[in-house]
Amino acid sequence: PRPLIRAMIKVIDPKIGEKVYDGAVGSAGFLCEAYEFMSAGKLTTSEKKTLSEKTFYGKEKKPLAYVIAIMNLMLHGVRAPNIINTNTLGESVNNIQEKDRHHVVLANPPFGGKERAEVQQNFPVATSETAYLFLQHFIKMLKVGGRCGIIIKNTFLSNTDNASVALRKQLLEECNLHSILDLPGGAFTGTGVKTVVLFFDKGTPTKRVWYYQLNVGRNMGKTNPLNQKDMAEFVQMSKTHEEGDNSWIVDVADINKDTYDLTVNNPNTV
């Protein structure tokens, strides 16, 4: 949903001069909205050129989605979209160099896919789950100090398989997982899959996690989708990480180091 994409971009707050990347680009929804956000206001000729040619990067496996992504970005005003038609997961993360890295990652990678053994060999934590491989890729693609917003199935927070535990441990130790947005069922039209958004910065370990549980006060569906107003409180409170009826803070010191389970129910719920 576009209101969710826009909210994520507001929280990440990409600046002109930073490179923005989506390795599961699809029709380029994240990159198009990021362009709209970054191009707002009065820009110099140099800034416009930077935005148009040296800011947005992505990879897409499916040929049709790749063509749509290119067209979508060009229609928005990006003259030279840096989008590649390739299988992102076919690249070993060990081959990613500093020149390949980006300041910002925004993505909604596919989950539930089953990747072959030869693809899994490209990653330190072997797993057939597509989303978990993408998460490893995104961490590697970030510059130190880089910022990421990624949508992932909420079961990632609590799954007990070895890959899930190892990935949560890596995320907490290598990145500052500062915020988790818990989305209600129905946030994605046509699917009842529950999702969360992970916001993290690369390079410093996590000390505290701010949780926000999105309560829209209604059942969502095709005729009643997520809207901008639904996201307003989250965007505002994400600046200060204040606690409220729908938000709370957890110290990493209190998280079980055997399972690294990140599922924490709202303590304000009776």
Side-chain angles (χ1 to χ4, degrees), residues 85-97:
N85 183 199
T86 185
N87 180 4
T88 305
L89 302 181
E91 173 188 4
S92 171
V93 292
N94 294 324
N95 294 334
I96 296 171
Q97 301 173 29

Side-chain angles (χ1 to χ4, degrees), residues 147-163:
R147 314 183 298 289
C148 179
I150 175 177
I151 301 167
I152 199 164
K153 206 172 173 180
N154 76 339
T155 50
F156 168 72
L157 301 180
S158 59
N159 278 348
T160 55
D161 61 284
N162 291 340

Side-chain angles (χ1 to χ4, degrees), residues 121-140:
Q121 288 172 3
N122 292 325
F123 299 88
V125 179
T127 170
S128 63
E129 169 56 63
T130 307
Y132 293 2
L133 300 178
F134 267 108
L135 180 57
Q136 293 178 72
H137 172 78
F138 291 141
I139 292 172
K140 203 76 172 179

Side-chain angles (χ1 to χ4, degrees), residues 180-253:
I180 296 178
L181 169 61
D182 185 14
L183 295 166
F188 285 75
T189 306
T191 172
V193 174
K194 286 268 289 171
T195 53
V196 292
V197 186
L198 309 178
F199 294 92
F200 57 87
D201 305 335
K202 181 176 174 178
T204 54
T206 307
K207 292 183 179 176
R208 306 168 87 205
V209 182
W210 179 69
Y211 287 79
Y212 185 93
Q213 191 167 48
L214 186 65
N215 291 320
V216 297
R218 66 182 191 280
N219 292 324
M220 288 187 296
K222 282 186 179 179
T223 58
N224 206 355
L226 199 67
N227 62 51
Q228 212 71 28
K229 192 177 175 184
D230 293 329
M231 303 304 305
E233 184 187 74
F234 163 72
V235 172
Q236 186 60 36
M237 293 179 71
S238 69
K239 297 171 185 174
T240 57
H241 289 179
E242 62 186 280
E243 296 186 273
D245 291 342
N246 298 314
S247 60
W248 63 98
I249 291 171
V250 173
D251 286 326
V252 167

